[in-house]
mmCIF file of all heavy atoms in Angstrom:
data_model
loop_
_atom_site.group_PDB
_atom_site.id
_atom_site.type_symbol
_atom_site.label_atom_id
_atom_site.label_comp_id
_atom_site.label_asym_id
_atom_site.label_seq_id
_atom_site.Cartn_x
_atom_site.Cartn_y
_atom_site.Cartn_z
ATOM 1 N N CYS B 57 -1.042 3.143 -0.217
ATOM 2 C CA CYS B 57 -0.256 2.078 0.338
ATOM 3 C C CYS B 57 1.147 2.619 0.738
ATOM 4 O O CYS B 57 2.139 1.855 0.804
ATOM 5 C CB CYS B 57 -0.083 0.976 -0.649
ATOM 6 S SG CYS B 57 0.586 1.355 -2.186
ATOM 7 N N ALA B 58 1.171 3.852 1.111
ATOM 8 C CA ALA B 58 2.483 4.420 1.552
ATOM 9 C C ALA B 58 2.995 3.701 2.796
ATOM 10 O O ALA B 58 2.190 3.375 3.683
ATOM 11 C CB ALA B 58 2.226 5.848 1.935
ATOM 12 N N GLY B 59 4.295 3.412 2.768
ATOM 13 C CA GLY B 59 4.836 2.647 3.955
ATOM 14 C C GLY B 59 4.660 1.216 3.929
ATOM 15 O O GLY B 59 5.180 0.530 4.821
ATOM 16 N N ILE B 60 3.875 0.693 2.905
ATOM 17 C CA ILE B 60 3.677 -0.724 2.849
ATOM 18 C C ILE B 60 4.616 -1.362 1.792
ATOM 19 O O ILE B 60 4.722 -0.847 0.702
ATOM 20 C CB ILE B 60 2.228 -1.043 2.482
ATOM 21 C CG1 ILE B 60 1.258 -0.386 3.487
ATOM 22 C CG2 ILE B 60 1.934 -2.520 2.432
ATOM 23 C CD1 ILE B 60 1.397 -0.894 4.902
ATOM 24 N N SER B 61 5.214 -2.472 2.219
ATOM 25 C CA SER B 61 6.116 -3.198 1.265
ATOM 26 C C SER B 61 5.304 -4.084 0.393
ATOM 27 O O SER B 61 4.765 -5.100 0.808
ATOM 28 C CB SER B 61 7.131 -4.005 2.023
ATOM 29 O OG SER B 61 7.772 -4.925 1.166
ATOM 30 N N GLY B 62 5.257 -3.695 -0.881
ATOM 31 C CA GLY B 62 4.548 -4.583 -1.827
ATOM 32 C C GLY B 62 5.243 -5.953 -1.986
ATOM 33 O O GLY B 62 4.558 -6.993 -2.182
ATOM 34 N N LYS B 63 6.565 -5.958 -1.865
ATOM 35 C CA LYS B 63 7.257 -7.222 -1.941
ATOM 36 C C LYS B 63 6.873 -8.165 -0.955
ATOM 37 O O LYS B 63 6.666 -9.405 -1.175
ATOM 38 C CB LYS B 63 8.783 -6.922 -1.931
ATOM 39 C CG LYS B 63 9.260 -6.099 -3.112
ATOM 40 C CD LYS B 63 10.778 -5.898 -3.079
ATOM 41 C CE LYS B 63 11.163 -5.169 -4.455
ATOM 42 N NZ LYS B 63 12.618 -5.007 -4.470
ATOM 43 N N SER B 64 6.698 -7.736 0.285
ATOM 44 C CA SER B 64 6.236 -8.644 1.396
ATOM 45 C C SER B 64 4.921 -9.155 1.080
ATOM 46 O O SER B 64 4.623 -10.377 1.292
ATOM 47 C CB SER B 64 6.246 -7.926 2.750
ATOM 48 O OG SER B 64 7.495 -7.888 3.348
ATOM 49 N N GLN B 65 4.030 -8.376 0.551
ATOM 50 C CA GLN B 65 2.684 -8.792 0.243
ATOM 51 C C GLN B 65 2.603 -9.780 -0.947
ATOM 52 O O GLN B 65 1.929 -10.748 -0.921
ATOM 53 C CB GLN B 65 1.769 -7.567 -0.096
ATOM 54 C CG GLN B 65 1.676 -6.586 1.048
ATOM 55 C CD GLN B 65 1.244 -7.301 2.360
ATOM 56 O OE1 GLN B 65 0.358 -8.129 2.426
ATOM 57 N NE2 GLN B 65 1.960 -6.986 3.417
ATOM 58 N N ILE B 66 3.591 -9.682 -1.860
ATOM 59 C CA ILE B 66 3.662 -10.631 -2.955
ATOM 60 C C ILE B 66 4.217 -11.966 -2.326
ATOM 61 O O ILE B 66 3.701 -13.016 -2.596
ATOM 62 C CB ILE B 66 4.650 -10.126 -4.020
ATOM 63 C CG1 ILE B 66 4.000 -9.038 -4.847
ATOM 64 C CG2 ILE B 66 5.035 -11.275 -4.894
ATOM 65 C CD1 ILE B 66 4.950 -8.381 -5.838
ATOM 66 N N LEU B 67 5.128 -11.871 -1.419
ATOM 67 C CA LEU B 67 5.618 -13.078 -0.760
ATOM 68 C C LEU B 67 4.554 -13.788 0.062
ATOM 69 O O LEU B 67 4.429 -15.047 -0.063
ATOM 70 C CB LEU B 67 6.886 -12.791 0.139
ATOM 71 C CG LEU B 67 8.134 -12.265 -0.550
ATOM 72 C CD1 LEU B 67 9.238 -12.000 0.491
ATOM 73 C CD2 LEU B 67 8.670 -13.312 -1.612
ATOM 74 N N PHE B 68 3.707 -13.075 0.706
ATOM 75 C CA PHE B 68 2.576 -13.630 1.408
ATOM 76 C C PHE B 68 1.627 -14.311 0.482
ATOM 77 O O PHE B 68 1.076 -15.456 0.766
ATOM 78 C CB PHE B 68 1.886 -12.569 2.329
ATOM 79 C CG PHE B 68 2.651 -12.264 3.584
ATOM 80 C CD1 PHE B 68 2.939 -10.950 3.843
ATOM 81 C CD2 PHE B 68 3.124 -13.286 4.471
ATOM 82 C CE1 PHE B 68 3.636 -10.631 5.012
ATOM 83 C CE2 PHE B 68 3.775 -12.944 5.629
ATOM 84 C CZ PHE B 68 4.141 -11.625 5.871
ATOM 85 N N ALA B 69 1.428 -13.712 -0.632
ATOM 86 C CA ALA B 69 0.423 -14.252 -1.633
ATOM 87 C C ALA B 69 0.995 -15.580 -2.181
ATOM 88 O O ALA B 69 0.274 -16.596 -2.273
ATOM 89 C CB ALA B 69 0.203 -13.334 -2.791
ATOM 90 N N ILE B 70 2.346 -15.653 -2.280
ATOM 91 C CA ILE B 70 3.026 -16.901 -2.762
ATOM 92 C C ILE B 70 2.933 -17.924 -1.648
ATOM 93 O O ILE B 70 2.662 -19.090 -1.833
ATOM 94 C CB ILE B 70 4.498 -16.621 -3.087
ATOM 95 C CG1 ILE B 70 4.601 -15.727 -4.395
ATOM 96 C CG2 ILE B 70 5.245 -17.900 -3.294
ATOM 97 C CD1 ILE B 70 6.014 -15.223 -4.630
ATOM 98 N N VAL B 71 3.100 -17.488 -0.407
ATOM 99 C CA VAL B 71 3.027 -18.409 0.742
ATOM 100 C C VAL B 71 1.734 -19.100 0.754
ATOM 101 O O VAL B 71 1.580 -20.303 0.845
ATOM 102 C CB VAL B 71 3.276 -17.664 2.080
ATOM 103 C CG1 VAL B 71 2.878 -18.440 3.251
ATOM 104 C CG2 VAL B 71 4.737 -17.304 2.202
ATOM 105 N N PHE B 72 0.608 -18.299 0.707
ATOM 106 C CA PHE B 72 -0.710 -18.861 0.758
ATOM 107 C C PHE B 72 -0.957 -19.751 -0.458
ATOM 108 O O PHE B 72 -1.604 -20.825 -0.362
ATOM 109 C CB PHE B 72 -1.792 -17.758 0.869
ATOM 110 C CG PHE B 72 -1.694 -16.942 2.143
ATOM 111 C CD1 PHE B 72 -1.960 -15.584 2.104
ATOM 112 C CD2 PHE B 72 -1.299 -17.525 3.310
ATOM 113 C CE1 PHE B 72 -1.878 -14.867 3.280
ATOM 114 C CE2 PHE B 72 -1.195 -16.804 4.496
ATOM 115 C CZ PHE B 72 -1.515 -15.417 4.430
ATOM 116 N N THR B 73 -0.563 -19.347 -1.620
ATOM 117 C CA THR B 73 -0.877 -20.124 -2.810
ATOM 118 C C THR B 73 -0.169 -21.449 -2.753
ATOM 119 O O THR B 73 -0.800 -22.511 -2.987
ATOM 120 C CB THR B 73 -0.382 -19.317 -4.111
ATOM 121 O OG1 THR B 73 -0.912 -18.008 -4.053
ATOM 122 C CG2 THR B 73 -0.797 -20.073 -5.345
ATOM 123 N N THR B 74 1.066 -21.455 -2.306
ATOM 124 C CA THR B 74 1.811 -22.695 -2.304
ATOM 125 C C THR B 74 1.384 -23.677 -1.137
ATOM 126 O O THR B 74 1.440 -24.844 -1.211
ATOM 127 C CB THR B 74 3.313 -22.540 -2.235
ATOM 128 O OG1 THR B 74 3.540 -21.646 -1.142
ATOM 129 C CG2 THR B 74 3.873 -21.905 -3.444
ATOM 130 N N ARG B 75 0.824 -23.049 -0.068
ATOM 131 C CA ARG B 75 0.391 -23.820 1.058
ATOM 132 C C ARG B 75 -1.032 -24.370 0.960
ATOM 133 O O ARG B 75 -1.294 -25.409 1.496
ATOM 134 C CB ARG B 75 0.585 -23.070 2.324
ATOM 135 C CG ARG B 75 0.385 -23.858 3.622
ATOM 136 C CD ARG B 75 0.582 -23.060 4.799
ATOM 137 N NE ARG B 75 1.867 -22.331 4.886
ATOM 138 C CZ ARG B 75 2.258 -21.558 5.909
ATOM 139 N NH1 ARG B 75 1.408 -21.389 6.924
ATOM 140 N NH2 ARG B 75 3.357 -20.959 5.902
ATOM 141 N N TYR B 76 -1.844 -23.674 0.206
ATOM 142 C CA TYR B 76 -3.252 -23.952 0.255
ATOM 143 C C TYR B 76 -3.685 -24.565 -1.039
ATOM 144 O O TYR B 76 -4.905 -24.584 -1.339
ATOM 145 C CB TYR B 76 -4.151 -22.696 0.572
ATOM 146 C CG TYR B 76 -3.837 -22.158 1.958
ATOM 147 C CD1 TYR B 76 -4.031 -20.818 2.203
ATOM 148 C CD2 TYR B 76 -3.280 -22.871 2.975
ATOM 149 C CE1 TYR B 76 -3.724 -20.158 3.407
ATOM 150 C CE2 TYR B 76 -2.981 -22.352 4.242
ATOM 151 C CZ TYR B 76 -3.196 -21.020 4.407
ATOM 152 O OH TYR B 76 -2.981 -20.494 5.651
ATOM 153 N N LEU B 77 -2.825 -25.144 -1.786
ATOM 154 C CA LEU B 77 -3.282 -25.909 -3.006
ATOM 155 C C LEU B 77 -4.135 -27.027 -2.607
ATOM 156 O O LEU B 77 -4.980 -27.464 -3.419
ATOM 157 C CB LEU B 77 -2.042 -26.442 -3.745
ATOM 158 C CG LEU B 77 -1.201 -25.337 -4.493
ATOM 159 C CD1 LEU B 77 0.048 -25.943 -5.150
ATOM 160 C CD2 LEU B 77 -2.014 -24.629 -5.604
ATOM 161 N N ASP B 78 -3.995 -27.486 -1.360
ATOM 162 C CA ASP B 78 -4.851 -28.665 -1.025
ATOM 163 C C ASP B 78 -6.300 -28.304 -0.846
ATOM 164 O O ASP B 78 -7.187 -29.122 -0.608
ATOM 165 C CB ASP B 78 -4.280 -29.305 0.277
ATOM 166 C CG ASP B 78 -4.424 -28.343 1.504
ATOM 167 O OD1 ASP B 78 -4.776 -27.168 1.261
ATOM 168 O OD2 ASP B 78 -4.160 -28.783 2.610
ATOM 169 N N LEU B 79 -6.619 -26.989 -1.075
ATOM 170 C CA LEU B 79 -7.968 -26.508 -1.013
ATOM 171 C C LEU B 79 -8.780 -27.286 -2.087
ATOM 172 O O LEU B 79 -9.906 -27.665 -1.867
ATOM 173 C CB LEU B 79 -8.052 -25.061 -1.333
ATOM 174 C CG LEU B 79 -8.417 -24.046 -0.227
ATOM 175 C CD1 LEU B 79 -8.422 -22.632 -0.806
ATOM 176 C CD2 LEU B 79 -9.743 -24.358 0.406
ATOM 177 N N LEU B 80 -8.087 -27.618 -3.114
ATOM 178 C CA LEU B 80 -8.790 -28.269 -4.279
ATOM 179 C C LEU B 80 -8.875 -29.790 -3.999
ATOM 180 O O LEU B 80 -9.755 -30.480 -4.581
ATOM 181 C CB LEU B 80 -8.043 -27.978 -5.546
ATOM 182 C CG LEU B 80 -7.627 -26.505 -5.791
ATOM 183 C CD1 LEU B 80 -6.739 -26.376 -6.943
ATOM 184 C CD2 LEU B 80 -8.881 -25.702 -5.930
ATOM 185 N N SER B 81 -8.041 -30.295 -3.164
ATOM 186 C CA SER B 81 -8.032 -31.820 -3.100
ATOM 187 C C SER B 81 -8.540 -32.402 -1.779
ATOM 188 O O SER B 81 -9.038 -33.469 -1.686
ATOM 189 C CB SER B 81 -6.572 -32.288 -3.322
ATOM 190 O OG SER B 81 -5.723 -31.673 -2.339
ATOM 191 N N THR B 82 -8.264 -31.622 -0.735
ATOM 192 C CA THR B 82 -8.600 -32.179 0.649
ATOM 193 C C THR B 82 -9.634 -31.238 1.368
ATOM 194 O O THR B 82 -9.314 -29.987 1.431
ATOM 195 C CB THR B 82 -7.356 -32.296 1.510
ATOM 196 O OG1 THR B 82 -6.268 -32.554 0.633
ATOM 197 C CG2 THR B 82 -7.455 -33.328 2.604
ATOM 198 N N PHE B 83 -10.677 -31.821 1.867
ATOM 199 C CA PHE B 83 -11.593 -31.018 2.808
ATOM 200 C C PHE B 83 -11.317 -31.352 4.215
ATOM 201 O O PHE B 83 -11.610 -32.446 4.632
ATOM 202 C CB PHE B 83 -13.071 -31.244 2.414
ATOM 203 C CG PHE B 83 -13.980 -30.476 3.340
ATOM 204 C CD1 PHE B 83 -14.270 -29.117 3.061
ATOM 205 C CD2 PHE B 83 -14.591 -31.109 4.369
ATOM 206 C CE1 PHE B 83 -15.086 -28.410 3.885
ATOM 207 C CE2 PHE B 83 -15.446 -30.419 5.191
ATOM 208 C CZ PHE B 83 -15.716 -29.039 4.973
ATOM 209 N N ILE B 84 -10.789 -30.400 4.997
ATOM 210 C CA ILE B 84 -10.541 -30.691 6.414
ATOM 211 C C ILE B 84 -11.671 -30.241 7.266
ATOM 212 O O ILE B 84 -12.178 -31.034 8.071
ATOM 213 C CB ILE B 84 -9.171 -29.964 6.794
ATOM 214 C CG1 ILE B 84 -8.027 -30.603 6.029
ATOM 215 C CG2 ILE B 84 -8.983 -30.050 8.349
ATOM 216 C CD1 ILE B 84 -6.680 -29.800 6.162
ATOM 217 N N SER B 85 -12.105 -29.002 7.162
ATOM 218 C CA SER B 85 -13.333 -28.552 7.823
ATOM 219 C C SER B 85 -13.761 -27.265 7.209
ATOM 220 O O SER B 85 -12.996 -26.660 6.386
ATOM 221 C CB SER B 85 -12.932 -28.257 9.300
ATOM 222 O OG SER B 85 -12.081 -27.077 9.301
ATOM 223 N N LEU B 86 -14.920 -26.778 7.421
ATOM 224 C CA LEU B 86 -15.449 -25.623 6.907
ATOM 225 C C LEU B 86 -14.623 -24.430 7.293
ATOM 226 O O LEU B 86 -14.230 -23.520 6.477
ATOM 227 C CB LEU B 86 -16.956 -25.376 7.349
ATOM 228 C CG LEU B 86 -17.741 -24.337 6.567
ATOM 229 C CD1 LEU B 86 -17.782 -24.777 5.141
ATOM 230 C CD2 LEU B 86 -19.149 -24.221 7.091
ATOM 231 N N TYR B 87 -14.265 -24.476 8.576
ATOM 232 C CA TYR B 87 -13.409 -23.350 9.114
ATOM 233 C C TYR B 87 -12.070 -23.312 8.342
ATOM 234 O O TYR B 87 -11.662 -22.238 7.850
ATOM 235 C CB TYR B 87 -13.067 -23.630 10.593
ATOM 236 C CG TYR B 87 -12.019 -22.793 11.204
ATOM 237 C CD1 TYR B 87 -12.342 -21.528 11.713
ATOM 238 C CD2 TYR B 87 -10.716 -23.190 11.301
ATOM 239 C CE1 TYR B 87 -11.395 -20.706 12.252
ATOM 240 C CE2 TYR B 87 -9.721 -22.455 11.872
ATOM 241 C CZ TYR B 87 -10.029 -21.158 12.342
ATOM 242 O OH TYR B 87 -9.120 -20.369 12.873
ATOM 243 N N ASN B 88 -11.495 -24.454 8.148
ATOM 244 C CA ASN B 88 -10.137 -24.494 7.472
ATOM 245 C C ASN B 88 -10.255 -23.939 6.079
ATOM 246 O O ASN B 88 -9.502 -23.146 5.591
ATOM 247 C CB ASN B 88 -9.730 -25.969 7.481
ATOM 248 C CG ASN B 88 -8.278 -26.109 7.065
ATOM 249 O OD1 ASN B 88 -8.006 -26.180 5.842
ATOM 250 N ND2 ASN B 88 -7.323 -26.150 7.967
ATOM 251 N N SER B 89 -11.307 -24.456 5.297
ATOM 252 C CA SER B 89 -11.475 -24.043 3.903
ATOM 253 C C SER B 89 -11.858 -22.599 3.838
ATOM 254 O O SER B 89 -11.319 -21.847 2.956
ATOM 255 C CB SER B 89 -12.552 -24.904 3.258
ATOM 256 O OG SER B 89 -12.088 -26.204 3.281
ATOM 257 N N CYS B 90 -12.671 -22.073 4.675
ATOM 258 C CA CYS B 90 -13.158 -20.682 4.626
ATOM 259 C C CYS B 90 -11.902 -19.752 4.892
ATOM 260 O O CYS B 90 -11.656 -18.800 4.224
ATOM 261 C CB CYS B 90 -14.185 -20.391 5.663
ATOM 262 S SG CYS B 90 -15.769 -21.063 5.236
ATOM 263 N N MET B 91 -11.206 -20.100 5.934
ATOM 264 C CA MET B 91 -9.994 -19.248 6.258
ATOM 265 C C MET B 91 -8.912 -19.234 5.139
ATOM 266 O O MET B 91 -8.497 -18.175 4.790
ATOM 267 C CB MET B 91 -9.328 -19.778 7.548
ATOM 268 C CG MET B 91 -10.182 -19.558 8.801
ATOM 269 S SD MET B 91 -10.399 -17.876 9.201
ATOM 270 C CE MET B 91 -9.021 -17.635 10.295
#
Side-chain angles (χ1 to χ4, degrees):
Chain B
C57 56
I60 301 299
S61 163
K63 294 184 175 182
S64 275
Q65 298 311 313
I66 289 175
L67 293 180
F68 284 125
I70 294 170
V71 164
F72 295 145
T73 307
T74 51
R75 191 178 306 178
Y76 299 154
L77 287 177
D78 64 352
L79 251 180
L80 312 172
S81 59
T82 328
F83 178 78
I84 293 169
S85 70
L86 195 59
Y87 170 82
N88 191 276
S89 298
C90 287
M91 291 292 269

